[in-house]
């Protein structure tokens, strides 16, 4: 979600559903000059349009043949389009099986022989009786004949030129000041081609275009409650100054107007958050994208002494095993796990293992366990959690009294009492 896409030179993948496509901004501007530029340098497979109606490949009026893929220059093969927002120019490319303007199929658009027996078919170039017609939104027509492109009926300018891209023979059109004629983000186009041999307009192509804009964003669980967000354009042409984030409850910052680079957000609390990114296309369409994310809570440290939490009572000289293996990361964040343990045990020091075995404890001791978690993806240390366990050492036990012990004690008391009486008499 490298991140990523530069809006000014955005090329979006063409998504066609029932002939509906997406107008594109050209990364490599089309040059309509007839100089046979590199096909890959100006056009890509994403620029080719699916047709809303079938292609009529019938330049010789043999209507029984649906796909007469011969070498005639009016055998329509494919239609491409691009829109250059910076110059407000709408480009089209009509690809044909033969050479443009070559009605009789001899690969020479200026040879009139062989067409209808009268020698009036070809040229020169695209002759007065031969034409390619491209109509946008049912109103603006680019008519190309006599090697001239004319915009009718609305005033305006267009350019057109023959091109040859290796095996691809084509005519490119440029409709200047396109937005004054059509909506560059919502229109239909109709193409016809023909000439004297079969009448103008026998080969036909139709397609419609409608802007399909989509945003997406991704985020990285960066550190503790910090999340790093980055947005991207999936399709459409967006105003690069019209981004708005809402990062949800407890976020700092709460909003941002940056799509790229990464926006760093700190959350005050863990748990589920609703995050949205909204953009606006250059045609004014508001496009939202909302996701629910989870901000991981701190890990839970669980300190045990001889398997006990809280307080353990032992006799003097007993040994104790301290264990933190029951500690765990946030169970709602399975991408996190415990990375590091640290025990601090007074009188014995600091230990960096999950378990410290068989320590002799001779006095009351409170041991402290700290654990740190990590993300599975990066292995970097993140948040910490702490717990304690107390070991109480019991005093030595007094031997229990028995009848014999009691008798001896009574006798001892009697002797001590008699001795005291004797001493008093002497006094």
């Amino acid at each position: 979600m490298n991140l990523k896409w530069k809006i000014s030179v955005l090329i979006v993948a063409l998504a066609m559903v029932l002939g509906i496509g997406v107008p594109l901004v050209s990364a490599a501007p089309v040059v309509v000059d007839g100089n046979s530029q590199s096909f890959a340098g100006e056009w890509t497979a994403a620029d080719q349009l699916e047709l809303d109606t079938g292609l009529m490949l019938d330049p010789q009026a043999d209507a029984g043949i649906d796909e007469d893929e011969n070498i005639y220059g009016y055998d329509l093969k494919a239609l491409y389009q691009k829109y250059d927002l910076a110059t407000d120019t709408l480009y089209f490319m009509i690809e044909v099986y033969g050479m443009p303007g070559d009605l009789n199929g001899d690969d020479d658009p200026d040879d009139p022989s062989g067409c209808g027996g009268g020698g009036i078919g070809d040229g020169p170039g695209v002759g007065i009786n031969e034409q390619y017609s491209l109509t946008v939104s049912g109103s603006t027509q680019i008519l190309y004949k006599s090697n001239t492109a004319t915009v009718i009926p609305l005033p305006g300018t267009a350019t057109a030129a023959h091109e040859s891209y290796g095996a691809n023979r084509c005519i490119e059109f440029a409709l200047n000041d396109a937005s004054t004629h059509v909506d560059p983000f919502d229109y239909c186009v109709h193409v016809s081609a023909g000439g004297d041999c079969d009448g103008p307009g026998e080969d036909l192509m139709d397609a419609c275009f409608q802007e399909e804009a989509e945003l997406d964003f991704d985020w990285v669980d960066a550190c503790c409650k910090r999340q790093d967000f980055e947005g991207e354009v999936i399709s459409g042409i967006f105003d690069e100054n019209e981004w708005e984030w809402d990062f949800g409850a407890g976020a700092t910052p709460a909003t941002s107007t940056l799509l790229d680079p990464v926006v760093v957000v700190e959350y005050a609390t863990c748990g589920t958050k609703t995050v949205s990114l909204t953009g606006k296309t250059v045609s004014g369409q508001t496009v939202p994208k909302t996701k629910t994310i989870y901000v991981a809570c701190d890990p839970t440290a669980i300190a045990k002494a001889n398997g006990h939490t809280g307080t353990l009572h032992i006799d003097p000289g007993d040994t104790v095993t301290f264990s933190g293996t029951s500690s765990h990361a946030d169970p709602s964040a399975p991408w996190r796990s415990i990375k590091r343990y640290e025990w601090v045990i007074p009188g014995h020091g600091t230990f960096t293992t999950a378990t410290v075995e068989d320590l002799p404890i001779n006095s009351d001791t409170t041991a402290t366990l700290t654990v740190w978690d990590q993300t599975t993806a990066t292995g970097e240390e993140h948040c910490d959690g702490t717990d304690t366990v107390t070991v109480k050492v019991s005093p030595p036990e007094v031997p229990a009294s028995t009848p014999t012990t009691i008798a001896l004690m009574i006798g001892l008391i009697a002797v001590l009492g008699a001795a005291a009486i004797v001493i008093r008499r002497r006094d």
Side-chain angles (χ1 to χ4, degrees):
M1 76 135 117
N2 55 8
L3 264 252
K4 294 239 180 183
W5 298 62
K6 300 301 180 182
I7 304 304
S8 62
V9 293
L10 176 67
I11 301 180
V12 294
L14 182 65
M16 301 298 300
V17 179
L18 298 177
I20 302 299
V22 182
L24 307 179
V25 170
S26 171
V30 177
V31 180
V32 182
D33 57 9
N35 289 335
S36 303
Q37 303 294 320
S38 167
F39 183 87
E42 293 188 350
W43 301 94
T44 70
D47 302 322
Q48 185 174 351
L49 306 176
E50 289 188 13
L51 301 178
D52 199 30
T53 60
L55 195 61
M56 298 177 62
L57 303 173
D58 189 22
Q60 291 188 317
D62 47 355
I65 301 176
D66 291 333
E67 294 195 8
D68 181 17
E69 297 180 4
N70 294 314
I71 62 173
Y72 301 102
Y74 291 91
D75 275 338
L76 298 180
K77 181 178 181 181
L79 176 64
Y80 293 69
Q81 68 84 38
K82 288 185 180 182
Y83 176 58
D84 191 327
L85 179 65
T87 62
D88 191 24
T89 304
L90 193 56
Y91 295 98
F92 294 96
M93 179 176 74
I94 301 172
E95 190 178 5
V96 299
Y97 283 101
M99 176 173 288
D102 177 24
L103 192 61
N104 60 10
D106 65 357
D107 216 22
D108 182 357
D110 297 328
D111 177 11
S113 63
C115 178
I120 60 174
D122 279 354
V126 176
I128 191 170
N129 294 316
E130 309 159 303
Q131 69 181 37
Y132 294 87
S133 172
L134 189 149
T135 303
V136 186
S137 291
S139 59
T140 299
Q141 181 187 21
I142 302 175
L143 186 63
Y144 186 52
K145 64 181 181 179
S146 299
N147 296 329
T148 301
T150 305
V151 179
I152 53 177
L154 298 177
T157 59
T159 55
H162 297 181
E163 296 276 2
S164 179
Y165 298 114
N168 302 284
R169 311 291 185 84
C170 63
I171 297 177
E172 291 178 330
F173 295 90
L175 177 60
N176 304 307
D177 301 317
S179 62
T180 65
H181 302 290
V182 299
D183 181 350
F185 304 99
D186 189 2
Y187 60 89
C188 292
V189 60
H190 171 78
V191 177
S192 65
D196 285 335
C197 283
D198 61 350
E202 182 149 336
D203 278 26
L204 306 172
M205 292 190 292
D206 289 279
C208 286
F209 313 87
Q210 189 176 59
E211 180 181 27
E212 294 181 357
E214 182 181 358
L215 290 176
D216 197 6
F217 65 86
D218 202 356
W219 70 99
V220 175
D221 183 9
C223 183
C224 292
K225 298 178 185 64
R226 170 188 153 188
Q227 309 291 307
D228 293 351
F229 292 90
E230 188 171 12
E232 66 173 333
V233 172
I234 302 301
S235 63
I237 306 172
F238 285 78
D239 186 334
E240 59 184 4
N241 297 314
E242 292 286 345
W243 309 111
E244 184 175 354
W245 288 93
D246 182 345
F247 296 113
T252 302
T255 63
S256 175
T257 58
L258 296 176
L259 181 73
D260 184 26
V262 170
V263 182
V264 176
V265 179
E266 293 281 354
Y267 285 91
T269 59
C270 60
T272 300
K273 312 292 181 182
T274 299
V275 179
S276 65
L277 170 64
T278 303
K280 183 176 289 187
T281 67
V282 293
S283 62
Q285 178 185 355
T286 298
V287 182
K289 183 67 176 183
T290 300
K291 292 183 179 181
T292 298
I293 73 167
Y294 185 79
V295 178
C297 298
D298 293 343
T300 301
I302 300 177
K304 291 184 178 182
N306 287 354
H308 295 271
T309 59
T311 301
L312 170 69
H313 294 274
I314 65 170
D315 294 327
D318 285 353
T319 59
V320 176
T321 294
F322 295 91
S323 175
T325 56
S326 295
S327 304
H328 57 82
D330 183 349
S332 297
W335 59 90
R336 287 199 179 189
S337 59
I338 298 299
K339 178 180 179 66
R340 184 162 67 92
Y341 301 81
E342 182 181 275
W343 281 100
V344 177
I345 304 174
H348 294 276
T350 300
F351 302 85
T352 57
T353 56
T355 301
V356 182
E357 297 183 347
D358 300 331
L359 286 184
I361 303 298
N362 297 307
S363 60
D364 293 352
T365 301
T366 297
T368 301
L369 169 67
T370 303
V371 297
W372 289 263
D373 65 5
Q374 66 178 347
T375 58
T376 304
T378 65
E380 296 178 355
E381 192 173 288
H382 284 256
C383 308
D384 63 85
T386 302
D387 191 25
T388 61
V389 62
T390 299
V391 179
K392 292 283 190 179
V393 179
S394 301
E397 293 185 1
V398 177
S401 297
T402 64
T404 302
T405 304
I406 294 172
L408 290 173
M409 292 180 65
I410 293 174
L412 178 60
I413 293 171
V415 171
L416 293 174
I421 292 171
V422 172
I423 292 171
R424 288 177 181 173
R425 286 179 178 177
R426 288 181 180 177
D427 293 339

